[in-house]
């Protein structure tokens, strides 16, 4: 079968590197190869590029350049924030507050700390995937050292009330980390407004390269390094700087800031048209998190009686890429922890797909998705062992 069209609706997994980002990076693989810690002119050129990028990332977050630590991506930033704050906090008994719907980078960091005897409260969210900030207040204890809560959820796109939680954290004098990997570059971020002490971001989610990210660390935050080595990144993250990657992250941050409001409005229009089209054409389809504020590009839809993996493969055969939140381990499909946390039964969670649009998504891409998806759902339902009486799509 020949694929006539390729449509990419998986920008929350990763984005293509912007041409301008690639061009900015290229010299740092070839002619500008100095180690940013070397004192000769080769090194100074790389250092200047790293510091320019630091300024650009700081501008994206409303932070000071000295508050930006470069890392290998969102996973490392989350680990550094969570382990770094907990290890930097005094006292024998320590407690962390987080949610049940965090990305595995934060969730598994908290679980690893729980195994070492740290108390962790995993707060529940409502049916739209939103946390009630009052729950954070109620969960506080004298020994609470960290609140770590994601900004935009990677599977359903819902946004958490960070400003409110930031006020609660400040009043209680508890460090507050937000995983903003899925909101950076999609909606405006301002560390002062949000009241956060630490923020994780990752370049490849906003048209930068993979394997590079940053952690914002508010001046005065007590943070122990997780890796041990040289004195790079103000003793917070040792290791020779990934200069091309950091330059790419910096350029991606500049472009995100420039294009953010235009991109967000255009992508939200396309996403809404996509959702309305699907809801009109597919009986029983439901948009998860639809009642909450969401990032503009993300749509998670349940198609009851359809195995999401089968639908994902059927769409891929027609050139359309999307994602299922479920993880496959030892041959068994485990339903997404996010979808079960918002109250979906295991069967519906296994019948849901994430569609995430991006800067280069067009009206024609949405038209194509709307042309193929309802038919594929109907076809899979007609052969589904779980089939109920669902009217076929004509
Ligand atoms: N946090 C969230 C919310 C994410 O969506 C991801 C990646 O999907 C990460 C953290 C991990 O980022 P990275 O891929 O840069 O390690």
């Amino acid at each position: 079968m020949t694929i006539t069209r390729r449509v990419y609706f998986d920008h929350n997994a990763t984005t293509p590197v912007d041409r301008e980002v690639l061009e900015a990076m290229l010299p740092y693989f070839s002619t500008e190869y100095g180690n940013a810690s070397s004192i000769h002119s080769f090194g100074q050129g790389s250092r200047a590029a790293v510091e320019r990028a630091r300024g650009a990332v700081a501008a994206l977050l409303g932070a000071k350049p000295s508050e930006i630590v470069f890392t290998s991506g969102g996973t490392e930033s989350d680990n550094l924030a969570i382990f770094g704050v907990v290890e930097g906090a005094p006292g024998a008994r320590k407690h962390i507050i987080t949610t049940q719907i965090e990305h595995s980078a934060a969730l598994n960091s908290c679980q690893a700390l729980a195994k070492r005897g740290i108390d962790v409260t995993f707060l529940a969210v409502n049916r739209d995937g939103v946390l009630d900030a009052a729950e954070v207040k109620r969960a506080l204890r004298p020994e609470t050292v960290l609140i770590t809560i994601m900004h935009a959820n990677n599977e359903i796109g819902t946004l958490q009330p960070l400003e409110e939680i930031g006020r609660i954290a400040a009043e209680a004098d508890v460090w507050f980390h937000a995983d903003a990997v899925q909101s950076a570059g999609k909606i405006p971020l301002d560390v002062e407004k949000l009241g956060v002490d630490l923020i994780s971001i990752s370049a490849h989610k906003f048209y930068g390269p993979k394997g590079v990210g940053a952690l914002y660390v508010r001046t005065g935050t007590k943070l122990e390094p997780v890796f041990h080595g040289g004195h790079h990144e103000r003793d917070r993250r040792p290791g020779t700087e990934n200069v091309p990657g950091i330059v790419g992250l910096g350029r991606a941050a500049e472009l995100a800031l420039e294009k953010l409001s235009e991109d967000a409005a255009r992508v939200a229009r396309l996403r809404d048209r996509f959702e309305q089209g699907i809801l009109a054409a597919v009986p029983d389809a439901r948009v998860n998190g639809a009642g909450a504020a969401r990032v503009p590009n993300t749509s998670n839809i349940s198609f009851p009686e359809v195995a999401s993996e089968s639908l994902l493969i059927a769409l891929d055969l027609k050139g359309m890429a999307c994602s299922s939140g479920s993880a496959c381990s030892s041959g068994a499909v485990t339903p997404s922890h996010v979808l079960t946390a918002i109250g979906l039964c295991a069967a519906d969670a296994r019948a849901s797909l994430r569609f995430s649009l991006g800067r280069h998504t067009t009206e024609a891409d949405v038209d194509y998705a709307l042309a193929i998806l309802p038919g594929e759902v109907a076809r899979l339902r007609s052969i589904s062992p779980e089939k109920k009486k669902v009217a076929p799509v004509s």
Side-chain angles (χ1 to χ4, degrees), residues 105-126:
L107 207 55
N108 291 343
S109 294
C110 290
Q111 266 154 2
L113 282 166
K115 279 195 197 140
R116 296 184 193 175
I118 307 290
D119 286 338
V120 185
T121 301
F122 296 94
L123 293 174
V125 292
N126 70 13

Side-chain angles (χ1 to χ4, degrees), residues 226-245:
V226 167
F227 298 159
H228 301 280
H231 296 290
H232 310 80
E233 297 297 290
R234 295 167 188 258
D235 284 331
R236 293 201 142 138
R237 200 278 190 175
T240 301
E241 292 88 346
N242 168 9
V243 180

Side-chain angles (χ1 to χ4, degrees), residues 54-117:
R54 203 184 302 280
V57 171
L60 181 69
L61 303 177
K64 300 189 201 93
S66 59
E67 297 174 317
I68 303 301
V69 179
F70 291 118
T71 67
S72 65
T75 301
E76 187 189 329
S77 296
D78 283 354
N79 274 262
L80 177 56
I82 296 168
F83 283 87
V85 164
V86 169
E87 282 178 10
R93 287 203 61 194
K94 295 176 192 175
H95 172 237
I96 305 175
I97 300 172
T98 188
T99 76
Q100 294 172 0
I101 62 161
E102 299 300 304
H103 184 271
S104 50
L107 207 55
N108 291 343
S109 294
C110 290
Q111 266 154 2
L113 282 166
K115 279 195 197 140
R116 296 184 193 175

Side-chain angles (χ1 to χ4, degrees), residues 154-376:
N154 46 301
E155 290 188 39
I156 58 177
T158 50
L159 290 159
Q160 301 304 331
L162 292 195
E163 283 182 45
E164 245 180 296
I165 300 167
R167 281 193 290 274
I168 293 167
E171 260 169 45
D173 203 15
V174 170
W175 301 118
F176 179 27
H177 165 245
D179 174 339
V181 167
Q182 292 291 351
S183 56
K186 293 178 187 157
I187 56 170
L189 288 182
D190 182 323
V191 294
E192 293 310 326
K193 208 163 154 238
L194 296 175
V196 292
D197 300 305
L198 304 110
I199 272 200
S200 301
I201 65 165
S202 177
H204 76 104
K205 306 293 188 182
F206 55 99
Y207 311 94
K210 295 166 183 62
V212 61
L215 180 67
Y216 156 76
V217 186
R218 182 183 292 280
T219 307
T221 307
K222 237 181 129 357
L223 186 85
E224 278 297 307
V226 167
F227 298 159
H228 301 280
H231 296 290
H232 310 80
E233 297 297 290
R234 295 167 188 258
D235 284 331
R236 293 201 142 138
R237 200 278 190 175
T240 301
E241 292 88 346
N242 168 9
V243 180
I246 290 170
V247 167
L249 167 60
R251 188 70 190 115
E254 283 169 359
L255 291 172
L257 205 52
E258 247 174 74
K259 297 179 190 244
L260 198 137
S261 55
E262 193 191 318
D263 272 2
R266 200 185 65 83
V267 169
R269 266 198 311 278
L270 289 175
R271 191 265 316 261
D272 293 349
R273 192 161 83 75
F274 170 71
E275 284 183 354
Q276 281 153 17
I278 295 297
L279 293 178
V282 181
D284 295 340
R286 276 193 313 271
V287 177
N288 295 309
R294 288 180 286 164
V295 277
N297 78 317
T298 307
S299 182
N300 188 299
I301 307 183
S302 295
F303 302 100
E305 282 101 48
V306 174
S308 59
E309 304 300 315
S310 307
L311 182 56
L312 188 136
I313 291 164
L315 295 173
D316 188 40
L317 288 171
K318 298 207 158 184
M320 178 174 171
C322 56
S323 159
S324 75
S326 37
C328 191
S329 56
S330 331
V333 179
T334 316
S336 142
H337 69 287
V338 175
L339 297 181
T340 48
I342 66 169
L344 265 62
C345 64
D348 282 354
R350 285 199 197 93
S352 305
L353 285 180
R354 176 186 73 186
F355 305 92
S356 46
L357 285 61
R359 190 178 284 166
H360 308 291
T361 307
T362 62
E363 295 278 351
D365 291 339
V366 172
D367 289 342
Y368 183 67
L370 293 177
I372 62 168
L373 222 158
E376 288 304 320

